[in-house]
Amino acid sequence: MTARTIDPTQFLGIPSHGKDGAEALLLPVPFEKTVSYGTGTHGGPHAIFDASLQIELFDDETLLDFERDIKLHALPPVVQNPDFSAEEYLAYLQEEVKRLRGNFILGLGGEHLMTYGMVMGITENPDELTLVHIDAHADCADRLNGVYWSHGTVMRRLWEKGCRFVQVGIRSLCRSEYELVSSDSRFSTYFAHQLPDRWNEAIEEIRNLKGKVFLTFDVDGLDPGIIPSTGTPQPEGLNWRQAMELIKAVAFNKQIDWIGGDVVEFVPSPNPPGCDIIAAKLVYKILAWRHRGLEQRGETILA
């Protein structure tokens, strides 16, 4: 491990380039209000930042040196007011994100319901947005355990706002969710059991998307052998190489405007290092591949 002076408030410990000088803004969203089984997602952002201090700044795959090549700025956490309802918090998060429009924003959660606030804040027109949704769960229930605003209803709420979805790795949903994602033209859903036969189809669809795109990555989309530390893990998840291929399909698509994303549902490991570093490495790879995609597409990267 290369010795370096670190700033623990910033991802990888790299001193901030400031909000206006960064190519990507990281927004910690330690929100947890509606989880229905395992708890602890509110600690995810802090654990990811802490673990990132142990990751090398040079990435052997992209050949990027984060300290030299990628300019980042981590914003203060959007702290949850304990008196807020879930809906009130989402409205608050939406306004915070709205102030940042025009920047690439990567939210670090936090439970998956936060994606509603991220998306509604990042774009004026959600009906023009496609979500690339990596997850074990469809999150399309109308209500989960009678609850309207829930981590299990978040994609349903965004579908009601007009969003389109490419879902990959789904392997847990109720019948009504299945009927929705199977019949509505705004859903392309690639179930986990279909991926051996449909993997290339999923990648090609993402490569051919147009318009604005938001990547939402629930860590339970990965196989629990990679990240078991999440509220509702499911077997038969994506392997690491598959996750990288999905991220690259977004990053190198020249037809889209990749406006933001989030990494959600990570629960810090009770006995570090656990998989905290894996979650941090996922964030690291999203940032690295986005940078390489910008270079390949010939887009201006902040100097």
Side-chain angles (χ1 to χ4, degrees), residues 13 68-69 132 135 157 167 191 236 252:
R68 182 193 67 196
D69 298 325
V132 175
D135 204 327
R157 301 288 83 89
Q167 301 181 306
F191 296 98
E236 202 183 3
F252 293 128

Side-chain angles (χ1 to χ4, degrees), residues 134-137 168-171 217-230 232-244 246-247 263-264 266 275 278-279 281-283:
I134 301 171
D135 204 327
H137 307 84
V168 184
I170 307 301
R171 53 200 190 274
F217 201 124
D218 186 326
V219 299
D220 69 25
L222 293 166
D223 192 82
I226 301 172
I227 295 185
S229 194
T230 184
T232 48
Q234 293 284 333
E236 202 183 3
L238 300 173
N239 63 41
W240 186 260
R241 190 48 41 198
Q242 287 175 313
M244 294 303 102
L246 289 165
I247 293 165
V263 174
V264 299
F266 176 64
C275 51
I278 310 301
K281 192 82 174 206
L282 177 61
V283 174

Side-chain angles (χ1 to χ4, degrees), residues 177-191:
E177 292 177 278
Y178 178 80
E179 290 172 350
L180 174 65
V181 304
S182 299
S183 63
D184 190 276
S185 62
R186 285 190 279 121
F187 284 97
S188 291
T189 301
Y190 297 88
F191 296 98

